[in-house]
Amino acid sequence: MAERRYGGQSEFGQLRRVVVRPPGRAFGDADPTRWHYAGRPDLARAQAEHRALVALLEESGVEVLVHDLELADHADAIYVYDPVLLTDRGAVALRMGKPLRRGEEAALAAMLERAGVPLLGGLRGDATAEAGDTLWLDPATLAVGLGFRTNAAAIEQLRALLGPAVTVLPVELPYFEGPEACLHLKSLISLLDADLAVVHLDLLPVPFYQELCRRRIELIPIEPAEFRTQASNVLAVGPRDLLMLDGNPKSREALERAGCRVRSYRGEEISLKAEGGPTCLTRPVWRA
């Protein structure tokens, strides 16, 4: 029987396959006001930054799949994490909470099917969810942020799709900067190992904080001033083997003191201007 090359209901298992989407014309032409960016991206610089990030993944032995289907007027499509949820049984096509991003879901799901990942199902009706609001606390527990991008209808549909083997744990998110800003659950926390997470404590909901403590997960608080440079958005390519955005020296030092290997990438264009860190820029397909 051929080896299954998808799945891994984990945030930190060894990363084997990942999808990325290089910045293209839609990203370079993005109107900052319309897309809620800090500035218009410089496409050439963005592409160079993205290539450097991909090189870090390849250095880690990760198979990189490129999602390059033309998606006109979809600047945010470089953030391939959000349109689908990956499970051990296949992909779930979500329904983006940001209306400008609608259409990314079917395109990415089709690309994954061509890569051998079955489609488990998809959200319907008025349900909206973005995978940046999902966090596998363990293989049987999926925390889901309830906020401006992900609603209660989506949580109920995810429960039905995932079945009784998976507990879906709602996490109410704060208002922060309102509906136009991108505040996902993963803006506040990245799980780095079974018992280690990096967090922005100032915005972490109290019941969720208590759940993490109950699970005896050590929490590494970021330097609050480094939240804007996405210090809490960290990609684990393996247990305590991390990729993070440049410009977060104090948070990086705290991670290294906890025994983590940390490498960083430059992301002025692909991350800081457009609200998407290393987890957003990558869609893990298979973790072993």
Side-chain angles (χ1 to χ4, degrees):
M1 181 180 295
E3 181 183 27
R4 187 186 72 186
R5 296 176 58 78
Y6 64 87
Q9 293 172 191
S10 168
E11 304 292 334
F12 54 82
Q14 193 65 46
L15 189 57
R16 300 297 190 192
R17 296 179 92 194
V18 70
V19 172
V20 301
R21 181 176 176 84
R25 182 180 303 172
F27 186 70
D29 291 344
D31 173 26
T33 300
R34 181 167 177 250
W35 286 94
H36 201 263
Y37 288 180
R40 186 180 297 276
D42 181 304
L43 183 56
R45 291 180 180 175
Q47 291 170 336
E49 290 175 355
H50 195 270
R51 286 193 297 271
L53 176 60
V54 169
L56 289 173
L57 293 167
E58 292 175 335
E59 287 171 11
S60 299
V62 181
E63 178 189 1
V64 177
L65 308 176
V66 177
H67 175 38
D68 56 4
L69 177 70
E70 181 68 24
L71 286 171
D73 197 31
H74 278 76
D76 277 357
I78 68 167
Y79 302 120
V80 285
Y81 190 84
D82 293 319
V84 301
L85 172 69
L86 255 292
T87 79
D88 287 343
R89 293 190 292 139
V92 176
L94 303 177
R95 183 169 179 269
M96 306 297 280
K98 184 175 182 176
L100 286 170
R101 298 194 67 177
R102 303 265 168 85
E104 293 181 33
E105 310 93 334
L108 183 53
M111 182 266 175
L112 288 170
E113 284 192 288
R114 291 192 296 273
V117 182
L119 182 62
L120 180 61
L123 298 186
R124 308 177 312 277
D126 61 355
T128 63
E130 298 182 3
D133 281 327
T134 65
L135 182 83
W136 291 103
L137 291 176
D138 60 48
T141 310
L142 181 70
V144 180
L146 186 61
F148 290 117
R149 302 295 181 91
T150 299
N151 62 19
I155 288 176
E156 291 309 309
Q157 290 186 27
L158 286 172
R159 285 192 173 118
L161 285 163
L162 298 176
V166 174
T167 297
V168 177
L169 176 67
V171 178
E172 294 188 2
L173 298 179
Y175 180 88
F176 189 50
E177 293 180 342
E180 297 304 316
C182 182
L183 183 78
H184 286 139
L185 176 60
K186 280 190 169 168
S187 303
L188 311 179
I189 177 171
S190 296
L191 201 59
L192 313 176
D193 204 339
D195 58 355
L196 186 69
V198 59
V199 298
H200 183 37
L201 277 179
D202 291 1
L203 292 178
L204 208 63
V206 170
F208 187 54
Y209 166 81
Q210 292 170 332
E211 174 65 17
L212 297 170
C213 293
R214 186 188 70 78
R215 291 171 173 265
R216 298 184 178 179
I217 296 174
E218 179 186 354
L219 305 180
I220 300 179
I222 64 164
E223 176 69 25
E226 293 179 352
F227 179 60
R228 297 288 179 182
T229 45
Q230 305 184 37
S232 46
N233 186 313
V234 176
L235 175 68
V237 296
R240 303 189 186 222
D241 187 3
L242 315 176
L243 300 182
M244 73 183 303
L245 181 61
D246 276 348
N248 296 293
K250 293 184 178 179
S251 300
R252 177 173 183 162
E253 182 181 351
L255 291 169
E256 291 175 336
R257 283 200 305 269
C260 296
R261 175 196 186 203
V262 183
R263 290 170 292 161
S264 62
Y265 72 98
R266 183 173 180 175
E268 282 87 350
E269 305 298 327
I270 58 175
S271 292
L272 295 179
K273 283 186 178 177
E275 301 182 300
T279 59
C280 312
L281 288 159
T282 52
R283 172 66 267 180
V285 173
W286 182 28
R287 287 187 183 271

